[in-house]
Amino acid sequence: MTTDALARPVRVRTAPLRRISSQSGLNTAAGHLLMVLLSIFCLFPVYWMLVSSFRPANAMFETSLWPTQGSLENYTTAIDAIPIARMLLNTLVFSAVSTVFQLLTGILAAFAFARWKFPFDKLVYTGVALTWLVPFQVVMIPNYLLVAHMGLLDSILALILPNIAAALAIMLLAQAMRGFPKEVIEAARMDGASNWRILWEVLVPNLRGTIASLAILIFISTWNEYFWPLLLSRTAENSVIQIGIQMFMTAEGNAWGPLMAASTLASLPVLVIYVVLQRQVVQSFMKSGIR
Amino acid sequence: MAIAIATPARLRRKSHARWSPWLYLAPALITLLVWIYWPLVDAARLSFYQWNMLPNSPQTFVGWENYQRIFALPKFWQALRNTGVYILGLLPLAVLIPLAIAIYTHDLPERSRNIYRAIIFVPMIIAPVVAAAVWRWLLDPGYGLANQAIKGLGFDPVKFLSDPDTAIWTVIVITGWKLMGFSTLILSAANANINPTLIEAARMDGAGKWEIIRDVRLPLLSSTVLFLVVMTILLGAQWSFTYINVLTGGGPLGATTNIYYLLWDFGFSTMSVGWGSASAVILFLGFGVIAFVLFRLIDRYSFHDN
């Protein structure tokens, strides 16, 4: 589902031919201004979340753009109100297990598509690709009923089950495997390697870049998943952090300080991944398009 | 996209090779069948029944009644209209403004581009619930920073989320906030991939700045632009789901309810499986047709830069 432009990694632009124009300096300044404005728009809400989360309760409604005094009061209040540690752990299990399984099923299925021609292969591939376009809201009632029927409501296992395989992982891996030099595979086959060994000892080690960026993408999107947990959760102990955040926003009123503290805690793992692997994260999202 | 590795003839003769692909495919296919294809069929079946989701209450066959009722419901048409507003409102934020920014900033130096890129991508990785929480705080009518600023300037506070005329636009801007930087990055990447010799050739021919944008850059960016437009149309209303759910609950007076939210409302607030399933089928078929037409258009109208 990616166009060529998306599939290509962001590349360093080839040096433009030097322009001799008196206007270009002014243009560049205006360009910087535009980007700075966009950057402020994009980053300010996140900044404001951090600043608010460290304000003491009696200074919550201050509007100074930077904190005048720091306090962890909001964090302790939030931790007392809901089992945050448990919820973060649940979210971690949900995201990590989903990531591992999606990669596993993706690698196996992609190998089948890349290695063999078999009856209906194109049809099956299209069938896989089409699931990418089915909105979750369309299948949610039957999915919910299925989970209820299995007696798995309010469990992390039920959150994971529909995430065991995904079209995106299969398609991106199949693309990568098709692009892998056939001579290498052929050479391994000559040495008597079975398909299973070719997959795990030749293809997978060589595609670890693709697999790693896919892993980042799946992990972050699963971590941020809200809708499916919302359907299944019954108790705080068995739900994920995204549901926990929601508990601070009620019709009666909002506990702004603890809400910002819980939001910060929920964002921290993803933000840490982003700070450490910024380039890879951006690239993995851009390769896969939006969703 | 669909070119399989040619299989050596020797391998194809082995009989177990016939089964191998299916064994490798099985885990993925079974998951997709159980959690997507079977539910689609089941949703279609349930759309002809009346049922309140309780396991021991009966499912009554009602034929096309659910569909007739839904089409007669003003709420449905309101949600459909709102879905259109979401899409139209998102297009400038997710496509037009990013396109302008991408073209305008293409000659910024590499170093600063990287810094901007790192910053404007951040909203994309922030969880929708977190985004909703932060915006709710920023836009709070009493104490939110936005209204403090508005009051400071001497105006009346704006009820961003509780005024029926404003609420939908607030949700659209928040959805746009999540996507804008990302779209800009995608378009910048496509823009940077344009072969500089094409631009230079046009300049040699005496083309001005605007003519270069209009006659060279825009046509070459058209496939990326079209892709983003299609994504916005197909997924736009879906992206806003979390914000509607957390911020407005579809209100005030249904003003922010789109077709996805209506589905949720039917299924899990009113526990009407039949109505929920019937609207799921309508939605699925509607968007299926739109998707088909749009992807055909992409094939036909996009230019390609070799």
Side-chain angles (χ1 to χ4, degrees), chain A residues 1 5-6 10 13-14 17 19 32 41-42 45 52 114 127 131 143 178 224 226-227 231 249 254 274 291, chain B residues 1 3 5 37 39 106-107 116-118 125 127 129 134 136-137 177 186 196 200 224 227 238 241 245-246 264:
Chain A
M1 230 27 77
L6 294 183
V10 192
R13 205 158 69 91
T14 39
L17 298 160
R19 276 205 272 161
H32 277 296
F41 176 63
C42 289
S52 305
T131 63
N143 278 357
R178 279 168 186 156
N224 291 343
Y226 168 67
F227 190 51
L231 283 185
M249 295 179 278
N254 307 282
Y274 185 61
R291 194 146 179 202
Chain B
M1 210 150 144
I3 310 149
I5 294 175
Y37 278 102
H106 76 98
D107 54 1
Y116 294 134
R117 200 173 80 178
I125 52 163
V129 182
V134 177
R136 188 176 168 117
W137 169 219
W177 171 75
I186 289 185
E200 209 41 43
T224 310
F227 176 76
Q238 222 179 321
F241 179 87
N245 182 252
V246 175
W264 155 263

Tab-separated table of all heavy atoms in Angstrom, chain A residues 1 5-6 10 13-14 17 19 32 41-42 45 52 114 127 131 143 178 224 226-227 231 249 254 274 291, chain B residues 1 3 5 37 39 106-107 116-118 125 127 129 134 136-137 177 186 196 200 224 227 238 241 245-246 264:
chain	number	residue	atom	x	y	z
A	1	MET	N	0.812	-1.200	0.000
A	1	MET	CA	0.000	0.000	0.000
A	1	MET	C	0.848	1.253	0.000
A	1	MET	O	0.393	2.345	0.281
A	1	MET	CB	-0.890	-0.028	1.239
A	1	MET	CG	-2.364	0.226	0.992
A	1	MET	SD	-2.965	-0.223	-0.630
A	1	MET	CE	-3.069	-1.996	-0.429
A	5	ALA	N	7.296	6.777	-3.677
A	5	ALA	CA	7.895	7.889	-2.950
A	5	ALA	C	7.979	7.579	-1.463
A	5	ALA	O	8.906	7.977	-0.788
A	5	ALA	CB	7.077	9.150	-3.160
A	6	LEU	N	6.986	6.804	-0.978
A	6	LEU	CA	6.983	6.497	0.437
A	6	LEU	C	7.965	5.386	0.746
A	6	LEU	O	8.588	5.367	1.785
A	6	LEU	CB	5.589	6.052	0.869
A	6	LEU	CG	4.527	7.124	0.789
A	6	LEU	CD1	3.227	6.561	1.307
A	6	LEU	CD2	4.929	8.311	1.611
A	10	VAL	N	14.142	8.486	3.191
A	10	VAL	CA	14.483	9.889	2.999
A	10	VAL	C	15.962	9.962	2.664
A	10	VAL	O	16.788	9.424	3.381
A	10	VAL	CB	14.249	10.680	4.291
A	10	VAL	CG1	14.317	12.155	3.999
A	10	VAL	CG2	12.953	10.292	4.917
A	13	ARG	N	19.592	15.085	0.070
A	13	ARG	CA	19.333	15.681	-1.231
A	13	ARG	C	20.652	15.941	-1.944
A	13	ARG	O	21.613	16.409	-1.355
A	13	ARG	CB	18.573	16.989	-1.048
A	13	ARG	CG	17.767	17.376	-2.235
A	13	ARG	CD	16.683	18.331	-1.791
A	13	ARG	NE	17.263	19.610	-1.391
A	13	ARG	CZ	17.430	20.622	-2.233
A	13	ARG	NH1	17.068	20.502	-3.476
A	13	ARG	NH2	17.930	21.744	-1.818
A	14	THR	N	20.669	15.609	-3.222
A	14	THR	CA	21.879	15.879	-3.980
A	14	THR	C	22.100	17.385	-4.027
A	14	THR	O	21.163	18.151	-4.096
A	14	THR	CB	21.731	15.352	-5.414
A	14	THR	OG1	20.401	15.624	-5.825
A	14	THR	CG2	21.990	13.870	-5.472
A	17	LEU	N	22.327	22.920	-7.625
A	17	LEU	CA	23.213	23.848	-8.327
A	17	LEU	C	23.082	25.201	-7.653
A	17	LEU	O	21.994	25.637	-7.313
A	17	LEU	CB	22.799	23.917	-9.798
A	17	LEU	CG	22.946	22.564	-10.474
A	17	LEU	CD1	22.097	22.492	-11.730
A	17	LEU	CD2	24.398	22.270	-10.790
A	19	ARG	N	22.527	28.772	-6.640
A	19	ARG	CA	21.703	29.806	-7.239
A	19	ARG	C	22.258	31.160	-6.889
A	19	ARG	O	22.620	31.421	-5.750
A	19	ARG	CB	20.273	29.699	-6.727
A	19	ARG	CG	19.479	28.687	-7.517
A	19	ARG	CD	18.043	29.019	-7.436
A	19	ARG	NE	17.431	28.411	-6.278
A	19	ARG	CZ	16.280	28.816	-5.772
A	19	ARG	NH1	15.648	29.824	-6.311
A	19	ARG	NH2	15.765	28.215	-4.747
A	32	HIS	N	12.618	29.191	7.279
A	32	HIS	CA	12.921	28.862	8.667
A	32	HIS	C	11.770	29.270	9.572
A	32	HIS	O	11.350	28.505	10.433
A	32	HIS	CB	14.197	29.578	9.118
A	32	HIS	CG	15.446	28.856	8.717
A	32	HIS	ND1	15.747	27.604	9.211
A	32	HIS	CD2	16.448	29.174	7.879
A	32	HIS	CE1	16.900	27.209	8.696
A	32	HIS	NE2	17.334	28.132	7.866
A	41	PHE	N	3.904	24.491	16.960
A	41	PHE	CA	2.558	23.922	16.948
A	41	PHE	C	2.607	22.425	17.294
A	41	PHE	O	1.780	21.917	18.051
A	41	PHE	CB	1.933	24.144	15.564
A	41	PHE	CG	0.567	23.523	15.389
A	41	PHE	CD1	-0.508	23.938	16.166
A	41	PHE	CD2	0.353	22.549	14.424
A	41	PHE	CE1	-1.762	23.378	15.987
A	41	PHE	CE2	-0.898	21.992	14.242
A	41	PHE	CZ	-1.965	22.407	15.031
A	42	CYS	N	3.589	21.725	16.732
A	42	CYS	CA	3.659	20.279	16.940
A	42	CYS	C	4.157	19.914	18.329
A	42	CYS	O	3.714	18.933	18.916
A	42	CYS	CB	4.585	19.635	15.899
A	42	CYS	SG	3.878	19.620	14.265
A	45	PRO	N	2.075	21.219	22.739
A	45	PRO	CA	1.202	20.437	23.617
A	45	PRO	C	1.973	19.403	24.442
A	45	PRO	O	1.672	19.192	25.615
A	45	PRO	CB	0.244	19.758	22.638
A	45	PRO	CG	0.205	20.666	21.476
A	45	PRO	CD	1.594	21.202	21.349
A	52	SER	N	3.091	20.900	32.975
A	52	SER	CA	1.946	20.811	33.885
A	52	SER	C	2.110	19.665	34.873
A	52	SER	O	1.698	19.761	36.019
A	52	SER	CB	0.648	20.607	33.098
A	52	SER	OG	0.499	21.612	32.143
A	114	ALA	N	7.213	-14.972	-1.204
A	114	ALA	CA	8.416	-14.625	-1.956
A	114	ALA	C	9.089	-15.855	-2.560
A	114	ALA	O	9.740	-15.772	-3.595
A	114	ALA	CB	9.398	-13.898	-1.038
A	127	GLY	N	-6.016	-10.878	-0.806
A	127	GLY	CA	-6.864	-11.062	0.361
A	127	GLY	C	-6.202	-10.555	1.625
A	127	GLY	O	-6.844	-9.940	2.483
A	131	THR	N	-7.239	-6.762	3.960
A	131	THR	CA	-7.577	-6.645	5.380
A	131	THR	C	-7.023	-5.353	5.973
A	131	THR	O	-7.526	-4.854	6.968
A	131	THR	CB	-7.013	-7.817	6.208
A	131	THR	OG1	-5.582	-7.800	6.134
A	131	THR	CG2	-7.526	-9.140	5.714
A	143	ASN	N	-15.995	-9.449	16.798
A	143	ASN	CA	-14.774	-9.733	17.552
A	143	ASN	C	-15.043	-9.741	19.052
A	143	ASN	O	-14.564	-10.606	19.780
A	143	ASN	CB	-13.698	-8.688	17.239
A	143	ASN	CG	-12.953	-9.001	15.966
A	143	ASN	OD1	-13.195	-10.025	15.342
A	143	ASN	ND2	-12.063	-8.124	15.573
A	178	ARG	N	11.326	-10.217	-1.554
A	178	ARG	CA	11.378	-10.279	-3.021
A	178	ARG	C	12.564	-9.509	-3.562
A	178	ARG	O	13.089	-9.824	-4.628
A	178	ARG	CB	10.085	-9.717	-3.607
A	178	ARG	CG	8.973	-10.724	-3.585
A	178	ARG	CD	7.666	-10.054	-3.886
A	178	ARG	NE	6.581	-11.001	-3.720
A	178	ARG	CZ	5.337	-10.648	-3.458
A	178	ARG	NH1	5.035	-9.377	-3.340
A	178	ARG	NH2	4.407	-11.562	-3.327
A	224	ASN	N	0.160	2.433	21.760
A	224	ASN	CA	-0.804	3.527	21.721
A	224	ASN	C	-2.243	3.072	21.478
A	224	ASN	O	-3.148	3.900	21.435
A	224	ASN	CB	-0.405	4.529	20.633
A	224	ASN	CG	0.860	5.276	21.005
A	224	ASN	OD1	1.262	5.278	22.165
A	224	ASN	ND2	1.487	5.904	20.036
A	226	TYR	N	-5.958	2.038	21.670
A	226	TYR	CA	-6.943	2.466	22.661
A	226	TYR	C	-8.280	1.747	22.509
A	226	TYR	O	-8.903	1.324	23.477
A	226	TYR	CB	-7.155	3.972	22.526
A	226	TYR	CG	-8.333	4.529	23.283
A	226	TYR	CD1	-8.354	4.525	24.670
A	226	TYR	CD2	-9.422	5.070	22.603
A	226	TYR	CE1	-9.428	5.042	25.366
A	226	TYR	CE2	-10.499	5.589	23.294
A	226	TYR	CZ	-10.506	5.577	24.672
A	226	TYR	OH	-11.567	6.093	25.353
A	227	PHE	N	-8.699	1.571	21.257
A	227	PHE	CA	-10.064	1.175	20.992
A	227	PHE	C	-10.380	-0.250	21.452
A	227	PHE	O	-11.372	-0.496	22.145
A	227	PHE	CB	-10.310	1.312	19.491
A	227	PHE	CG	-11.739	1.161	19.119
A	227	PHE	CD1	-12.706	1.889	19.766
A	227	PHE	CD2	-12.109	0.295	18.119
A	227	PHE	CE1	-14.031	1.750	19.424
A	227	PHE	CE2	-13.432	0.159	17.770
A	227	PHE	CZ	-14.394	0.882	18.421
A	231	LEU	N	-12.886	-1.720	24.567
A	231	LEU	CA	-13.994	-2.664	24.455
A	231	LEU	C	-13.899	-3.767	25.504
A	231	LEU	O	-14.903	-4.215	26.042
A	231	LEU	CB	-13.985	-3.332	23.076
A	231	LEU	CG	-14.498	-2.544	21.901
A	231	LEU	CD1	-14.509	-3.413	20.660
A	231	LEU	CD2	-15.907	-2.069	22.186
A	249	MET	N	-10.320	11.532	33.411
A	249	MET	CA	-11.231	12.470	32.753
A	249	MET	C	-12.646	11.948	32.916
A	249	MET	O	-13.027	10.984	32.286
A	249	MET	CB	-10.907	12.574	31.252
A	249	MET	CG	-9.550	13.158	30.971
A	249	MET	SD	-9.185	13.245	29.199
A	249	MET	CE	-8.633	11.591	28.859
A	254	ASN	N	-12.127	17.016	35.810
A	254	ASN	CA	-10.855	16.450	35.434
A	254	ASN	C	-9.836	16.721	36.523
A	254	ASN	O	-9.759	17.832	37.030
A	254	ASN	CB	-10.370	17.086	34.141
A	254	ASN	CG	-11.416	17.005	33.052
A	254	ASN	OD1	-11.601	15.969	32.449
A	254	ASN	ND2	-12.128	18.108	32.825
A	274	TYR	N	12.020	7.036	20.896
A	274	TYR	CA	12.167	8.032	19.843
A	274	TYR	C	13.472	8.803	19.974
A	274	TYR	O	14.181	9.021	18.988
A	274	TYR	CB	10.978	8.993	19.860
A	274	TYR	CG	11.008	9.988	18.724
A	274	TYR	CD1	10.977	9.546	17.405
A	274	TYR	CD2	11.090	11.344	18.958
A	274	TYR	CE1	11.023	10.442	16.359
A	274	TYR	CE2	11.129	12.254	17.912
A	274	TYR	CZ	11.100	11.794	16.613
A	274	TYR	OH	11.144	12.673	15.576
A	291	ARG	N	-1.044	4.903	9.569
A	291	ARG	CA	-2.140	4.178	10.174
A	291	ARG	C	-1.855	3.807	11.605
A	291	ARG	O	-0.804	3.272	11.873
A	291	ARG	CB	-2.496	2.904	9.436
A	291	ARG	CG	-3.836	2.457	9.952
A	291	ARG	CD	-4.671	1.800	8.949
A	291	ARG	NE	-5.892	1.430	9.629
A	291	ARG	CZ	-6.713	0.483	9.212
A	291	ARG	NH1	-6.482	-0.162	8.122
A	291	ARG	NH2	-7.786	0.204	9.874
B	1	MET	N	4.766	-4.916	-7.338
B	1	MET	CA	4.590	-5.343	-5.963
B	1	MET	C	4.356	-6.845	-5.904
B	1	MET	O	4.660	-7.499	-4.918
B	1	MET	CB	3.354	-4.653	-5.387
B	1	MET	CG	3.458	-4.432	-3.913
B	1	MET	SD	2.533	-2.965	-3.538
B	1	MET	CE	1.866	-3.408	-1.963
B	3	ILE	N	5.519	-9.554	-7.766
B	3	ILE	CA	6.330	-10.418	-8.589
B	3	ILE	C	6.967	-11.468	-7.695
B	3	ILE	O	7.773	-11.150	-6.826
B	3	ILE	CB	7.436	-9.633	-9.311
B	3	ILE	CG1	6.831	-8.421	-10.006
B	3	ILE	CG2	8.165	-10.527	-10.292
B	3	ILE	CD1	7.787	-7.264	-10.091
B	5	ILE	N	9.317	-14.705	-6.705
B	5	ILE	CA	10.581	-15.257	-7.184
B	5	ILE	C	10.270	-16.485	-8.030
B	5	ILE	O	9.520	-17.358	-7.619
B	5	ILE	CB	11.464	-15.663	-5.991
B	5	ILE	CG1	11.873	-14.417	-5.212
B	5	ILE	CG2	12.668	-16.449	-6.447
B	5	ILE	CD1	12.635	-14.734	-3.944
B	37	TYR	N	-12.003	-11.786	8.405
B	37	TYR	CA	-12.948	-12.242	7.383
B	37	TYR	C	-14.207	-12.856	7.986
B	37	TYR	O	-15.319	-12.546	7.559
B	37	TYR	CB	-12.263	-13.203	6.408
B	37	TYR	CG	-11.505	-12.430	5.356
B	37	TYR	CD1	-10.124	-12.282	5.425
B	37	TYR	CD2	-12.180	-11.775	4.329
B	37	TYR	CE1	-9.435	-11.528	4.485
B	37	TYR	CE2	-11.509	-11.019	3.395
B	37	TYR	CZ	-10.144	-10.898	3.472
B	37	TYR	OH	-9.475	-10.141	2.556
B	39	PRO	N	-15.499	-12.269	11.009
B	39	PRO	CA	-16.308	-11.187	11.573
B	39	PRO	C	-17.060	-10.380	10.519
B	39	PRO	O	-18.187	-9.947	10.768
B	39	PRO	CB	-15.280	-10.306	12.294
B	39	PRO	CG	-14.200	-11.233	12.645
B	39	PRO	CD	-14.120	-12.230	11.546
B	106	HIS	N	12.060	23.624	0.695
B	106	HIS	CA	12.916	22.585	0.129
B	106	HIS	C	14.385	22.967	0.090
B	106	HIS	O	15.248	22.106	0.022
B	106	HIS	CB	12.434	22.190	-1.268
B	106	HIS	CG	12.787	23.197	-2.315
B	106	HIS	ND1	13.872	23.048	-3.126
B	106	HIS	CD2	12.227	24.366	-2.639
B	106	HIS	CE1	13.940	24.091	-3.930
B	106	HIS	NE2	12.976	24.903	-3.656
B	107	ASP	N	14.704	24.283	0.124
B	107	ASP	CA	16.130	24.589	0.042
B	107	ASP	C	16.749	24.989	1.375
B	107	ASP	O	17.784	25.629	1.422
B	107	ASP	CB	16.414	25.640	-1.038
B	107	ASP	CG	15.586	26.896	-0.844
B	107	ASP	OD1	14.830	26.934	0.136
B	107	ASP	OD2	15.698	27.818	-1.666
B	116	TYR	N	14.199	20.121	12.334
B	116	TYR	CA	12.756	20.306	12.155
B	116	TYR	C	12.052	18.965	12.017
B	116	TYR	O	10.988	18.729	12.572
B	116	TYR	CB	12.465	21.157	10.913
B	116	TYR	CG	12.948	22.578	11.021
B	116	TYR	CD1	13.633	23.176	9.970
B	116	TYR	CD2	12.700	23.335	12.160
B	116	TYR	CE1	14.078	24.482	10.050
B	116	TYR	CE2	13.138	24.639	12.254
B	116	TYR	CZ	13.830	25.208	11.197
B	116	TYR	OH	14.263	26.499	11.288
B	117	ARG	N	12.677	18.074	11.247
B	117	ARG	CA	12.078	16.768	11.002
B	117	ARG	C	11.855	16.034	12.322
B	117	ARG	O	10.790	15.478	12.554
B	117	ARG	CB	12.997	15.956	10.098
B	117	ARG	CG	12.291	14.834	9.406
B	117	ARG	CD	13.176	14.178	8.402
B	117	ARG	NE	14.086	13.257	9.059
B	117	ARG	CZ	14.965	12.511	8.413
B	117	ARG	NH1	15.057	12.601	7.120
B	117	ARG	NH2	15.736	11.689	9.055
B	118	ALA	N	12.877	16.064	13.187
B	118	ALA	CA	12.770	15.365	14.465
B	118	ALA	C	11.632	15.941	15.300
B	118	ALA	O	10.942	15.208	16.006
B	118	ALA	CB	14.083	15.472	15.231
B	125	ILE	N	3.901	9.938	17.160
B	125	ILE	CA	4.137	8.812	18.064
B	125	ILE	C	3.436	8.986	19.408
B	125	ILE	O	3.454	8.101	20.247
B	125	ILE	CB	5.649	8.593	18.336
B	125	ILE	CG1	6.284	9.893	18.780
B	125	ILE	CG2	6.343	8.036	17.126
B	125	ILE	CD1	7.616	9.689	19.455
B	127	ALA	N	0.418	8.896	21.852
B	127	ALA	CA	-0.823	8.114	21.853
B	127	ALA	C	-2.027	9.041	21.689
B	127	ALA	O	-2.055	10.120	22.277
B	127	ALA	CB	-0.939	7.340	23.160
B	129	VAL	N	-4.891	8.934	23.006
B	129	VAL	CA	-5.517	9.273	24.289
B	129	VAL	C	-4.729	10.375	24.993
B	129	VAL	O	-5.312	11.300	25.563
B	129	VAL	CB	-5.585	8.041	25.215
B	129	VAL	CG1	-6.283	8.403	26.505
B	129	VAL	CG2	-6.303	6.918	24.531
B	134	VAL	N	-4.136	16.059	26.633
B	134	VAL	CA	-3.393	17.326	26.634
B	134	VAL	C	-4.217	18.448	26.001
B	134	VAL	O	-4.288	19.563	26.516
B	134	VAL	CB	-2.059	17.157	25.899
B	134	VAL	CG1	-1.327	18.480	25.832
B	134	VAL	CG2	-1.198	16.134	26.604
B	136	ARG	N	-7.436	18.588	25.783
B	136	ARG	CA	-8.548	18.889	26.677
B	136	ARG	C	-8.115	19.897	27.736
B	136	ARG	O	-8.831	20.821	28.079
B	136	ARG	CB	-9.003	17.587	27.323
B	136	ARG	CG	-10.267	17.681	28.132
B	136	ARG	CD	-10.590	16.281	28.593
B	136	ARG	NE	-11.612	16.241	29.591
B	136	ARG	CZ	-12.791	15.636	29.400
B	136	ARG	NH1	-13.037	15.048	28.255
B	136	ARG	NH2	-13.677	15.606	30.360
B	137	TRP	N	-6.906	19.691	28.233
B	137	TRP	CA	-6.338	20.586	29.246
B	137	TRP	C	-6.053	21.951	28.640
B	137	TRP	O	-6.416	22.987	29.200
B	137	TRP	CB	-5.100	19.912	29.824
B	137	TRP	CG	-4.161	20.708	30.704
B	137	TRP	CD1	-2.802	20.631	30.695
B	137	TRP	CD2	-4.485	21.632	31.755
B	137	TRP	NE1	-2.269	21.453	31.649
B	137	TRP	CE2	-3.280	22.098	32.315
B	137	TRP	CE3	-5.678	22.138	32.260
B	137	TRP	CZ2	-3.221	23.015	33.354
B	137	TRP	CZ3	-5.629	23.077	33.293
B	137	TRP	CH2	-4.417	23.500	33.832
B	177	TRP	N	-3.466	18.046	13.927
B	177	TRP	CA	-2.211	18.239	14.663
B	177	TRP	C	-1.375	16.956	14.633
B	177	TRP	O	-0.164	16.989	14.451
B	177	TRP	CB	-2.520	18.610	16.118
B	177	TRP	CG	-1.332	18.627	17.014
B	177	TRP	CD1	-0.358	19.586	17.062
B	177	TRP	CD2	-0.959	17.637	17.979
B	177	TRP	NE1	0.584	19.249	18.014
B	177	TRP	CE2	0.242	18.066	18.591
B	177	TRP	CE3	-1.537	16.435	18.401
B	177	TRP	CZ2	0.877	17.325	19.586
B	177	TRP	CZ3	-0.905	15.700	19.392
B	177	TRP	CH2	0.298	16.144	19.966
B	186	ILE	N	6.523	13.359	4.611
B	186	ILE	CA	6.347	12.510	3.435
B	186	ILE	C	6.480	13.331	2.162
B	186	ILE	O	7.179	12.939	1.218
B	186	ILE	CB	4.962	11.809	3.489
B	186	ILE	CG1	4.997	10.748	4.582
B	186	ILE	CG2	4.603	11.208	2.146
B	186	ILE	CD1	3.759	9.920	4.653
B	196	PRO	N	17.085	16.912	-9.589
B	196	PRO	CA	17.381	18.351	-9.708
B	196	PRO	C	17.633	18.787	-11.146
B	196	PRO	O	17.416	19.961	-11.477
B	196	PRO	CB	18.630	18.541	-8.858
B	196	PRO	CG	19.018	17.239	-8.325
B	196	PRO	CD	18.046	16.202	-8.742
B	200	GLU	N	16.527	22.194	-13.117
B	200	GLU	CA	17.523	23.025	-13.785
B	200	GLU	C	17.162	23.214	-15.258
B	200	GLU	O	17.262	24.309	-15.802
B	200	GLU	CB	18.908	22.375	-13.625
B	200	GLU	CG	20.066	23.335	-13.608
B	200	GLU	CD	19.792	24.601	-12.802
B	200	GLU	OE1	19.218	24.510	-11.680
B	200	GLU	OE2	20.122	25.688	-13.298
B	224	THR	N	2.197	11.253	-4.777
B	224	THR	CA	2.250	11.301	-3.309
B	224	THR	C	1.056	12.073	-2.752
B	224	THR	O	0.429	11.653	-1.774
B	224	THR	CB	3.554	11.967	-2.836
B	224	THR	OG1	4.642	11.347	-3.511
B	224	THR	CG2	3.741	11.805	-1.354
B	227	PHE	N	-1.970	9.992	-2.979
B	227	PHE	CA	-1.936	8.960	-1.958
B	227	PHE	C	-2.407	9.510	-0.611
B	227	PHE	O	-3.233	8.899	0.081
B	227	PHE	CB	-0.520	8.395	-1.834
B	227	PHE	CG	-0.358	7.392	-0.730
B	227	PHE	CD1	-0.835	6.104	-0.879
B	227	PHE	CD2	0.272	7.741	0.456
B	227	PHE	CE1	-0.697	5.178	0.135
B	227	PHE	CE2	0.411	6.818	1.480
B	227	PHE	CZ	-0.070	5.537	1.320
B	238	GLN	N	-11.807	7.869	10.690
B	238	GLN	CA	-11.380	6.850	11.637
B	238	GLN	C	-10.345	7.404	12.619
B	238	GLN	O	-10.355	7.070	13.796
B	238	GLN	CB	-10.746	5.732	10.828
B	238	GLN	CG	-11.104	4.359	11.279
B	238	GLN	CD	-10.419	3.351	10.374
B	238	GLN	OE1	-10.324	3.532	9.162
B	238	GLN	NE2	-9.924	2.300	10.972
B	241	PHE	N	-11.596	9.082	15.738
B	241	PHE	CA	-12.445	8.319	16.663
B	241	PHE	C	-12.073	8.533	18.133
B	241	PHE	O	-12.920	8.830	18.962
B	241	PHE	CB	-12.402	6.831	16.337
B	241	PHE	CG	-13.236	6.025	17.287
B	241	PHE	CD1	-14.581	5.827	17.047
B	241	PHE	CD2	-12.688	5.510	18.457
B	241	PHE	CE1	-15.356	5.125	17.940
B	241	PHE	CE2	-13.465	4.809	19.357
B	241	PHE	CZ	-14.793	4.611	19.097
B	245	ASN	N	-14.324	10.106	21.090
B	245	ASN	CA	-14.678	9.281	22.231
B	245	ASN	C	-14.240	9.925	23.540
B	245	ASN	O	-14.989	9.971	24.513
B	245	ASN	CB	-14.040	7.898	22.063
B	245	ASN	CG	-14.411	6.963	23.187
B	245	ASN	OD1	-13.595	6.652	24.039
B	245	ASN	ND2	-15.651	6.543	23.211
B	246	VAL	N	-13.015	10.433	23.582
B	246	VAL	CA	-12.491	10.964	24.837
B	246	VAL	C	-12.981	12.388	25.087
B	246	VAL	O	-13.252	12.764	26.219
B	246	VAL	CB	-10.941	10.929	24.826
B	246	VAL	CG1	-10.393	11.590	26.079
B	246	VAL	CG2	-10.449	9.504	24.731
B	264	TRP	N	-20.098	2.658	16.991
B	264	TRP	CA	-19.731	2.389	18.378
B	264	TRP	C	-20.926	2.641	19.287
B	264	TRP	O	-21.245	1.867	20.187
B	264	TRP	CB	-18.543	3.278	18.725
B	264	TRP	CG	-18.376	3.599	20.163
B	264	TRP	CD1	-18.797	4.714	20.813
B	264	TRP	CD2	-17.719	2.785	21.140
B	264	TRP	NE1	-18.440	4.664	22.126
B	264	TRP	CE2	-17.778	3.482	22.364
B	264	TRP	CE3	-17.087	1.552	21.104
B	264	TRP	CZ2	-17.237	2.985	23.533
B	264	TRP	CZ3	-16.547	1.066	22.272
B	264	TRP	CH2	-16.621	1.763	23.465
